[in-house]
Amino acid sequence: MAIFRFVIASFVENAPAVCIIDRYLLVQFIKSFLIFFISFTGLYVVIDSFNNLDEFLRYGEQTGRGTLPILFDYYTPRIFTFFNMTGGILTLIAAMFTVTWLQRHNEMTALMAAGITKERIVRPVIIAVGVIALLGALNREFVVPEYSDALSRNAQDWLGESAKQLQPKYDNLTDVLISGNHTFANEMRIEAPKFRLPRSQPGVGTKINAANAFFKAAEGDRPSGYLLDQVSEPENVAEAESLLDADGNVYVMMPKDHPWLAPHQCFIVSDLSFEQLTASREWRNSASTWALISALRNRSLDFGADVRVEIHSRLTQPFLDMTLLLLGLPLVLKNDNRNVFVAIGLCGAVVVLFFGVTMASRGLGSNYMISPALAAWFPLMLFVPFATYMTESMRS
């Protein structure tokens, strides 16, 4: 597409020469971006920490580590997610502020008088935005997933000790309905679990109840699943046979056939992890794209269209960031605007329109009104022609 050819051309034309003005613009842009990012992040951290200060003080006393280490552990992963959320907007604001500052001091006029086009002048800014968009994608795929457990906990349950209500969920591979009273994230434990089997089994019936269930990841020859302790129903669990599914695979392991189980225990095989069972939305937001794709292939899960929209949106996000920049930047260059506040107003109008369309499109896709692929790609289909047209003014 023309807009992406324009971006690529900005990278490769006259690439060997890095002029003083290029370094000057890059420094101004990076300083502006860091100032805006640190300001907004600091504002978020200060407001949120004061709202939850009592909890953090209690956690500091409870763990014996003090409040500051708790604050560091809590907000570090949230800063990375905040970067993902605000990267596209902040790069646009920083770019418009940098260009407006250049115009206000008549430096743009001097450069254009020397025969340099606007496109060449703002090239380092476009390159810097592309690099930040790439860093955002890498951050989303490799950094944020490392903190998925921390991001699934809020300030009221940072240590994972609070009981949370468990919403019943089917394991779609085995048709076992998993329910219970409460869950505890620090132990990956379900209190008073009730597992309903798809059909009545000899000597077992249709229900397996216990005092607790603990999620266990796959280890050795044992698959992943839930270890039920102090089984109360069926009463003769120590004498019951292991249960097989329609394909002949064991999906309920009993102590009679598996000596590593205690007489009052059983093990229900499931690919539905504890995070997916208890916090599917939080897990989805912090998971990598490959993890989301793998989850779609997991027959134990039954994700809706919103996950498919999310996967396509991950692919389009860097292009959306560049499109947003090339929609807003020509507005400042075209009118030779030297007023910083006018630039901020134009930036705000572009951002509201752009994200309004993007969110509406994704909402339609999540509610099955349009296909997930169209929901993610429609903003590009709509705004790229406008951005291509507007960038023509930068070539003069």
Side-chain angles (χ1 to χ4, degrees), residues 131-190:
V131 171
I132 292 176
L134 179 60
L135 290 176
L138 294 175
N139 175 58
R140 184 166 48 250
E141 298 302 322
F142 298 103
V143 180
V144 172
E146 295 296 323
Y147 296 101
S148 59
D149 181 60
L151 291 170
S152 66
R153 306 181 187 183
N154 56 26
Q156 286 68 42
D157 187 30
W158 173 238
L159 300 181
E161 297 177 338
S162 300
K164 291 184 178 180
Q165 194 73 30
L166 175 62
Q167 298 296 325
K169 181 174 290 188
Y170 271 102
D171 181 331
N172 288 281
L173 179 60
T174 59
D175 287 332
V176 173
L177 177 64
I178 303 175
S179 62
N181 289 350
H182 299 93
T183 61
F184 298 84
N186 60 333
E187 301 176 288
M188 291 194 291
R189 175 170 67 93
I190 304 173

Side-chain angles (χ1 to χ4, degrees), residues 64-91:
R65 299 176 57 204
T67 305
L68 288 180
I70 296 295
L71 289 171
F72 179 82
D73 292 343
Y74 181 81
Y75 285 107
T76 296
R78 282 159 177 80
I79 289 175
F80 289 113
T81 58
F82 192 78
F83 174 74
N84 283 341
M85 294 170 55
T86 61
I89 299 175
L90 294 182
T91 51

Side-chain angles (χ1 to χ4, degrees), residues 70-138:
I70 296 295
L71 289 171
F72 179 82
D73 292 343
Y74 181 81
Y75 285 107
T76 296
R78 282 159 177 80
I79 289 175
F80 289 113
T81 58
F82 192 78
F83 174 74
N84 283 341
M85 294 170 55
T86 61
I89 299 175
L90 294 182
T91 51
L92 173 61
I93 296 175
M96 298 183 76
F97 186 87
T98 300
V99 173
T100 303
W101 191 264
L102 196 69
Q103 293 174 332
R104 186 170 185 174
H105 292 81
N106 295 317
E107 293 166 315
M108 180 74 76
T109 303
L111 290 170
M112 294 182 65
I116 304 176
T117 63
K118 294 178 181 179
E119 174 192 351
R120 178 60 184 88
I121 295 172
V122 300
R123 181 179 301 159
V125 174
I126 296 175
I127 294 175
V129 172
V131 171
I132 292 176
L134 179 60
L135 290 176
L138 294 175

Side-chain angles (χ1 to χ4, degrees), residues 84-320:
N84 283 341
M85 294 170 55
T86 61
I89 299 175
L90 294 182
T91 51
L92 173 61
I93 296 175
M96 298 183 76
F97 186 87
T98 300
V99 173
T100 303
W101 191 264
L102 196 69
Q103 293 174 332
R104 186 170 185 174
H105 292 81
N106 295 317
E107 293 166 315
M108 180 74 76
T109 303
L111 290 170
M112 294 182 65
I116 304 176
T117 63
K118 294 178 181 179
E119 174 192 351
R120 178 60 184 88
I121 295 172
V122 300
R123 181 179 301 159
V125 174
I126 296 175
I127 294 175
V129 172
V131 171
I132 292 176
L134 179 60
L135 290 176
L138 294 175
N139 175 58
R140 184 166 48 250
E141 298 302 322
F142 298 103
V143 180
V144 172
E146 295 296 323
Y147 296 101
S148 59
D149 181 60
L151 291 170
S152 66
R153 306 181 187 183
N154 56 26
Q156 286 68 42
D157 187 30
W158 173 238
L159 300 181
E161 297 177 338
S162 300
K164 291 184 178 180
Q165 194 73 30
L166 175 62
Q167 298 296 325
K169 181 174 290 188
Y170 271 102
D171 181 331
N172 288 281
L173 179 60
T174 59
D175 287 332
V176 173
L177 177 64
I178 303 175
S179 62
N181 289 350
H182 299 93
T183 61
F184 298 84
N186 60 333
E187 301 176 288
M188 291 194 291
R189 175 170 67 93
I190 304 173
E191 180 188 58
K194 299 176 178 64
F195 286 68
R196 180 176 296 177
L197 305 180
R199 53 191 171 276
S200 180
Q201 301 287 343
V204 176
T206 59
K207 294 184 295 183
I208 300 180
N209 299 337
N212 293 287
F214 300 87
F215 176 76
K216 302 294 182 180
E219 182 178 352
D221 295 332
R222 191 205 68 209
S224 61
Y226 292 86
L227 176 65
L228 277 67
D229 190 35
Q230 300 179 30
V231 177
S232 58
E233 187 177 356
E235 297 179 357
N236 59 339
V237 64
E239 302 174 2
E241 302 281 347
S242 297
L243 305 182
L244 306 179
D245 60 18
D247 297 326
N249 299 316
V250 177
Y251 73 99
V252 179
M253 299 180 179
M254 296 297 187
K256 181 178 181 179
D257 305 311
H258 301 275
W260 55 271
L261 289 170
H264 57 277
Q265 293 179 336
C266 71
F267 188 85
I268 299 182
V269 178
S270 176
D271 288 333
L272 191 65
S273 70
F274 186 82
E275 292 81 6
Q276 295 165 349
L277 176 68
T278 59
S280 58
R281 181 173 294 276
E282 291 81 359
W283 174 84
R284 183 195 70 186
N285 292 337
S286 60
S288 66
T289 302
W290 177 249
L292 291 177
I293 295 174
S294 299
L296 284 179
R297 296 174 177 173
N298 186 346
R299 292 186 293 168
S300 293
L301 298 170
D302 184 23
F303 285 128
D306 56 338
V307 175
R308 292 171 172 80
V309 171
E310 178 70 21
I311 292 174
H312 285 281
S313 299
R314 298 280 184 91
L315 302 177
T316 61
Q317 191 58 53
F319 301 105
L320 287 173

